[in-house]
């Protein structure tokens, strides 16, 4: 850049000298003389420039570095933008390797499908078992810890072992009568199979409990149209929430469900059921608070007939089994159902709170005297160590447990599987 400035200066000097001299003598000189003078002026200017260049010392780095930086900057400015350069190769690459990419995607998709198929195969079993096992943690700790302690203490199968196991089961809230029956079966099996090692006793206990809980009527009967599910139980056991979860389960299975807000006594019970109905996506038939529950059920049945619904789930007031007037009201509701739907299938589900322990057995007994209870819905099983009450209810009242609640989510109300329950109860 310095060199360019010097050259410019001498060029201007040359032009200036030429202009000044040409103005004074232009008219006196002919063309040949003018050309000679111009050559002399150019020669003089070049000589002067050469002398000045020799005298001036040019530092290499200060001059070369700016030139290098300028060249770099110019080269960068001249370069095309990176964005189109990057995008173009990607598009070209994608077009060229499209078949390979599709093949890779197909392979990945097939792998995902295989994984989903494997999950789907064990979804019901493993999903239910995992949640059941988690939900039964407290109960499992209560029962198996006591049983394991007895089996570690007694290596030999004898009468003393049976007595200790019976005590362990009773203290685990399985109940006296049920515990005695389990030990009697265990005693017979050990003799029949000639078992002398206590390590094999635990597997026998699991087998006995699964057999005691087994029932051919453990599934909900919703055949016929419309079928009716009456849900009964005392306040605070999770009755309204269970109704919503049952409705959700049936709706997902393809059934058209209608809810009847028959609990007209408890404050906000109708509003609570309406909220659940909106969440699940089912309609609710209701009257005002304090209305006749039988009238609500009648209207719900008529609506179900006209709308061609598959299932009507009827809520009822939370009745204390010791209050005669409420139990009489329940009988009145059953008469309406018998008159309006004499041939439809009917379920009467008693909702029990697992945390109440042996009191749940008493409720099952007293409600069975008033209504023909077809199944038990056992709630809050995940929050108690008294899950052994499931065995007691089935053994003493011969009422199948059809649904159990192992969590607070809407899909945590699961169909009861006796074998899975026994496996989860004695799982390691």
């Amino acid at each position: 850049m310095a060199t360019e400035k010097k050259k410019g200066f001498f060029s201007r000097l040359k032009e200036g000298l030429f202009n000044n001299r040409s103005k004074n003598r232009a008219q006196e000189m002919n063309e040949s003389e003018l050309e000679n003078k111009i050559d002399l002026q150019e020669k003089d200017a070049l000589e002067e420039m050469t002398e000045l260049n020799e005298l001036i010392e040019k530092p290499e780095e200060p001059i070369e570095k700016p030139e290098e930086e300028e060249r770099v900057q110019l080269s960068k400015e001249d370069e095309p933008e990176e964005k189109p350069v990057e995008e173009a190769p990607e598009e070209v690459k994608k077009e060229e390797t499209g078949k390979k990419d599709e093949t890779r995607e197909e392979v990945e998709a097939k792998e995902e499908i295989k994984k989903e198929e494997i999950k789907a195969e064990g979804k019901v079993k493993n999903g239910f078992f995992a949640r059941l096992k988690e939900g039964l943690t407290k109960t499992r700790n209560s029962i198996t810890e006591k049983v394991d302690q007895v089996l570690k203490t007694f290596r030999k199968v004898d009468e003393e072992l049976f007595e200790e196991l019976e005590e362990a089961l009773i203290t685990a809230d399985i109940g006296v009568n049920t515990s005695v029956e389990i030990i009697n079966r265990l005693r017979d099996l050990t003799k029949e199979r000639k078992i002398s090692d206590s390590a094999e006793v635990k597997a026998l206990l699991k087998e006995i409990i699964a057999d005691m809980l087994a029932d051919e009527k453990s599934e909900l009967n919703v055949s016929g149209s419309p079928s009716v599910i009456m849900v009964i139980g005392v306040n605070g056991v999770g009755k309204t929430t269970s109704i919503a979860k049952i409705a959700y389960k049936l709706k997902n299975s393809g059934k058209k469900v209608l809810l009847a807000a028959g609990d007209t006594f408890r404050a906000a019970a109708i509003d609570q059921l309406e909220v659940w109905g909106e969440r699940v996506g089912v309609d609710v038939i209701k009257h005002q608070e304090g209305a006749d529950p039988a009238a609500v059920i009648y209207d719900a049945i008529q609506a179900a007939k006209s709308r061609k619904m598959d299932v009507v789930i009827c809520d009822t007031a939370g009745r204390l089994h010791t209050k005669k007037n409420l139990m009489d009201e329940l009988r009145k509701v059953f008469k309406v159902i018998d008159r309006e739907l004499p041939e439809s299938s009917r379920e009467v589900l008693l909702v029990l709170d697992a945390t109440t322990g042996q009191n749940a057995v008493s409720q099952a007994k007293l409600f069975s005297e008033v209504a023909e209870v077809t199944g038990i819905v056992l709630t809050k099983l995940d929050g108690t160590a008294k899950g052994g009450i499931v065995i007691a209810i089935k053994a003493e009242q011969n009422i199948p447990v059809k649904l159990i609640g192992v969590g607070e989510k809407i899909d945590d109300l699961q169909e009861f599987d006796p074998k899975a329950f026994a496996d989860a109860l004695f799982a390691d």
Side-chain angles (χ1 to χ4, degrees):
M1 294 176 67
T3 305
E4 292 177 1
K5 289 181 179 179
K6 291 184 182 111
K7 288 180 180 179
F9 168 75
F10 285 110
S11 297
R12 290 193 299 272
L13 179 62
K14 180 183 70 172
E15 291 174 359
L17 293 172
F18 171 77
N19 291 333
N20 291 331
R21 291 176 182 176
S22 61
K23 286 179 182 179
N24 297 327
R25 301 178 184 179
Q27 296 177 353
E28 299 176 358
M29 295 180 181
N30 55 27
E31 291 180 0
S32 60
E33 289 177 349
L34 181 61
E35 289 176 358
N36 291 333
K37 291 294 181 180
I38 291 172
D39 291 338
L40 290 173
Q41 290 173 358
E42 289 178 351
K43 184 177 180 181
D44 293 337
L46 290 173
E47 288 177 355
E48 290 177 2
M49 183 181 68
T50 302
E51 290 176 357
L52 287 173
N53 287 334
E54 289 176 355
L55 293 174
I56 297 171
E57 294 181 358
K58 297 187 295 180
E60 295 180 359
E61 292 182 1
I63 293 174
E64 293 178 1
K65 189 172 181 180
E67 290 177 354
E68 184 179 352
E69 289 178 354
E70 185 177 1
R71 286 196 300 272
V72 172
Q73 290 177 357
L74 289 172
S75 63
K76 287 183 178 179
E77 291 176 358
D78 294 336
E79 285 179 1
E81 294 182 3
E82 294 181 357
K83 187 174 182 180
V85 174
E86 288 180 356
E87 288 180 355
E90 286 182 2
E91 293 176 356
V92 174
K93 185 177 180 181
K94 187 173 182 180
E95 291 176 359
E96 293 176 351
T97 62
K99 294 181 179 179
K100 293 182 180 179
D101 291 341
E102 290 175 359
T103 304
R104 185 173 67 252
E105 290 175 359
E106 288 175 359
V107 172
E108 292 175 355
K110 288 179 180 179
E111 290 177 355
E112 289 296 326
I113 291 171
K114 287 181 180 178
K115 290 179 182 179
E116 291 298 327
E117 287 176 351
I118 293 171
K119 290 179 181 179
E121 289 176 359
K123 183 178 179 181
V124 175
K125 183 177 178 181
N126 295 335
F128 168 77
F129 183 78
R131 280 185 284 184
L132 180 60
K133 182 179 177 182
E134 183 181 355
L136 288 175
T137 300
K138 293 181 179 180
T139 300
R140 182 170 59 253
N141 293 340
S142 174
I143 295 176
T144 58
E145 283 182 3
K146 294 173 182 177
V147 170
D148 288 342
Q149 185 61 40
V150 173
L151 296 178
K152 288 178 182 178
T153 305
F154 299 90
R155 289 292 182 183
K156 187 178 180 181
V157 176
D158 54 17
E159 193 59 32
E160 190 175 2
L161 171 65
F162 294 138
E163 290 179 359
E164 292 294 328
L165 284 174
E166 184 178 301
E167 182 180 346
L169 294 176
I170 292 172
T171 56
D173 218 58
I174 290 179
V176 176
N177 296 332
T178 308
S179 299
V180 170
E181 183 180 350
I182 292 172
I183 296 302
N184 287 338
R185 290 194 184 191
L186 180 63
R187 190 182 286 109
D188 294 339
L189 271 181
T190 52
K191 289 180 180 179
E192 180 184 336
R193 300 182 185 180
K194 298 179 180 179
I195 293 174
S196 58
D197 188 358
S198 63
E200 301 179 49
V201 171
K202 190 174 181 179
L204 290 179
L205 280 173
K206 182 168 67 173
E207 181 182 337
I208 291 167
I209 290 174
D211 183 64
M212 290 178 68
L213 291 172
D215 196 301
E216 295 179 356
K217 299 179 180 179
S218 61
E219 295 183 0
L220 286 177
N221 181 14
V222 289
S223 60
S225 182
S227 61
V228 178
I229 299 176
M230 285 287 297
V231 183
I232 62 177
V234 300
N235 287 328
V237 295
K239 186 161 49 66
T240 306
T241 305
S242 296
I243 289 172
K245 291 180 178 181
I246 294 170
Y248 175 82
K249 189 176 186 66
L250 291 174
K251 184 185 176 185
N252 284 349
S253 67
K255 299 288 185 181
K256 293 186 291 183
V257 183
L258 184 68
L259 302 183
D263 186 355
T264 59
F265 293 99
R266 182 170 64 88
I270 298 172
D271 295 336
Q272 184 182 0
L273 191 64
E274 274 193 302
V275 170
W276 275 113
E278 291 176 1
R279 290 180 183 177
V280 176
V282 297
D283 292 334
V284 179
I285 302 300
K286 64 175 184 175
H287 284 194
Q288 63 183 3
E289 187 177 338
D292 184 2
V296 178
I297 303 304
Y298 175 83
D299 287 348
I301 291 173
Q302 299 309 314
K305 288 179 179 179
S306 62
R307 301 179 191 181
K308 297 182 179 180
M309 307 301 286
D310 297 316
V311 184
V312 181
I313 304 177
C314 304
D315 189 12
T316 60
R319 291 166 171 78
L320 291 173
H321 47 267
T322 55
K323 291 190 176 182
K324 186 177 183 300
N325 59 332
L326 291 176
M327 301 306 281
D328 290 341
E329 188 65 42
L330 188 60
R331 291 189 184 94
K332 184 179 177 182
V333 170
F334 284 126
K335 286 181 181 179
V336 171
I337 296 173
D338 291 337
R339 185 180 69 244
E340 298 300 323
L341 296 171
E343 297 180 359
S344 294
S345 61
R346 184 195 310 173
E347 287 278 6
V348 181
L349 301 180
L350 174 61
V351 182
L352 297 174
D353 184 348
T355 62
T356 60
Q358 288 297 314
N359 187 44
V361 180
S362 300
Q363 291 180 30
K365 181 180 179 181
L366 292 170
F367 270 101
S368 297
E369 294 174 357
V370 180
E372 188 179 344
V373 179
T374 60
I376 301 292
V377 178
L378 198 64
T379 64
K380 307 176 186 178
L381 196 60
D382 57 314
T384 181
K386 300 178 179 180
I389 199 64
V390 175
I391 309 167
I393 292 172
K394 176 61 175 68
E396 296 183 23
Q397 299 301 318
N398 197 28
I399 303 173
V401 177
K402 297 199 172 186
L403 298 166
I404 56 174
V406 293
E408 296 180 357
K409 296 180 181 178
I410 197 166
D411 60 345
D412 282 335
L413 189 68
Q414 299 291 331
E415 293 179 357
F416 182 69
D417 184 338
K419 187 178 183 304
F421 180 86
D423 289 340
L425 196 61
F426 289 95
D428 295 330

